[in-house]
Amino acid sequence: MDMKEAGSQRKLQLQEPEELRLEAYENSKIYKEKAKAAHDKLIAKKEFNVGNKVLLYNSRLKLMPVEIMDGSTTTKFTVNGQQLKPFYESFQEHTVEELHLLNAAYN
């Protein structure tokens, strides 16, 4: 093997880890994009109209700001829109019937 060929072989060996690193970076980027798309698909879309009553989880985050008004004091404040849930006034509590099971003999 002459020196020129040995030199070109050495250059290829030095570039190989860099190529592997770039390939791993691209694969990681693709994985993150797919994971984000799958996560975003699971997020429920919420639609609120002016005048709707909502339940608010107490949070200091203001990632998706929504302005709401307290019905009793007419005070307006900004909250994270992801922390709101619809309030259903006509919701009625149901009683649950209890059933007691007897021990069954297994054959």
Side-chain angles (χ1 to χ4, degrees):
M1 196 179 333
D2 65 341
M3 293 299 277
K4 249 186 191 180
E5 190 178 323
S8 66
Q9 285 288 355
R10 182 67 181 145
K11 284 181 184 178
L12 289 175
Q13 288 175 350
L14 291 173
Q15 289 177 351
E16 189 176 345
E18 180 69 17
E19 291 175 6
L20 290 174
R21 185 187 70 80
L22 289 174
E23 185 179 341
Y25 176 77
E26 284 297 318
N27 288 340
S28 173
K29 185 177 176 183
I30 291 168
Y31 170 77
K32 287 179 184 179
E33 288 172 356
K34 287 182 179 179
K36 182 183 182 332
H39 177 266
D40 290 347
K41 192 186 325 182
L42 295 175
I43 294 177
K45 304 289 184 214
K46 300 176 186 175
E47 291 187 22
F48 299 104
N49 298 318
V50 175
N52 286 3
K53 291 186 179 181
V54 294
L55 298 173
L56 170 66
Y57 172 74
N58 190 10
S59 174
R60 292 193 170 117
L61 294 175
K62 292 188 171 66
L63 300 176
M64 298 177 189
V66 173
E67 190 173 277
I68 63 174
M69 182 173 66
D70 185 359
S72 60
T73 62
T74 65
T75 305
K76 292 183 180 180
F77 52 100
T78 304
V79 297
N80 180 358
Q82 290 293 320
Q83 303 298 339
L84 296 176
K85 295 188 181 200
F87 177 75
Y88 301 108
E89 287 187 65
S90 62
F91 180 76
Q92 295 181 359
E93 192 173 320
H94 298 284
T95 58
V96 177
E97 184 178 336
E98 289 186 27
L99 298 175
H100 297 285
L101 303 176
L102 301 175
N103 289 339
Y106 294 101
N107 292 335

